[in-house]
Amino acid sequence: MRAFYKSAMEDTNKQFEKVISSCRELFAKKLHDYKAAWRIMRPISLTDQIFIKAKRIRTLEQTHTAMVDGEDIRSCFAAIINYGIIALIQLELGYSDGVDINEEQALAHYDRYAKKAMDLMKAKNHDYGEAWRDMRISSYTDLILMKINRTKQIEDLAGQTLVSEGIDANYMDMINYSVFGIIKIDFPE
């Protein structure tokens, strides 16, 4: 049984890396086109941007109809991953009145937070034994929406919580749930 879990976790790690690689590629292309224009965004605005994408996923799951071309469930999960990483960068650096980092710096920050998300996923995956694989994609959507609501509440409390994890932990979970959603789409079992 132990060998099965080890093999499954190795598959998860490889799949996680492939998903993050595709999201990073999109991030890099957008950096080329727009530079780091997102540096002006405050974390609360990024929370709302993630909310918009998660609501779109839920609407698509419920209606099975898209009125806007080019934005399917997978692309919305990818956007949540990239906005989540941007939000973590903004929490660290603060927002700016303009583009104050170059593409190389932005990608270095991206890679650092993607690695942190993967390290967290590995630790939780070990402890929870690949439980996410038995979940429905719609459950990831609901968990992301819950994490957004938690994040908004923490933001409204100016980060002054009594026992809860911080905003960064919620962003990390949103990233990881989105990666799981894409894995389930890209690598159906």
Side-chain angles (χ1 to χ4, degrees), residues 6-16 130 133 183:
K6 184 177 181 188
S7 175
M9 285 191 266
E10 287 172 3
D11 287 345
T12 297
N13 294 346
K14 289 175 188 170
Q15 292 167 344
F16 190 102
E130 295 275 316
R133 287 205 180 265
I183 289 173

Side-chain angles (χ1 to χ4, degrees), residues 34-67:
Y34 307 128
K35 303 295 181 214
W38 47 264
R39 286 289 293 131
I40 68 165
M41 294 186 79
R42 292 171 286 182
I44 58 172
S45 298
L46 288 157
T47 301
D48 286 340
Q49 189 63 35
I50 293 168
F51 172 73
I52 290 167
K53 296 300 181 182
K55 284 293 281 188
R56 178 160 174 78
I57 293 169
R58 184 183 257 186
T59 300
L60 292 172
E61 289 171 344
Q62 292 174 327
T63 66
H64 306 285
T65 304
M67 299 294 286

Side-chain angles (χ1 to χ4, degrees), residues 5 8 10-11 30 53 65 75 83 94 98 101-102 108 111-112 116 133 142 147 150 154 161 163 165 169 173 175 182:
Y5 281 119
E10 287 172 3
D11 287 345
K30 288 191 176 198
K53 296 300 181 182
T65 304
S75 68
Y83 282 125
I101 61 175
N102 63 35
D111 292 342
R112 188 165 41 85
K116 283 184 177 189
R133 287 205 180 265
D142 291 349
K147 292 289 183 176
R150 286 182 177 183
I154 295 169
T161 61
V163 296
E165 297 175 304
D173 286 342
I175 292 166
I182 293 175

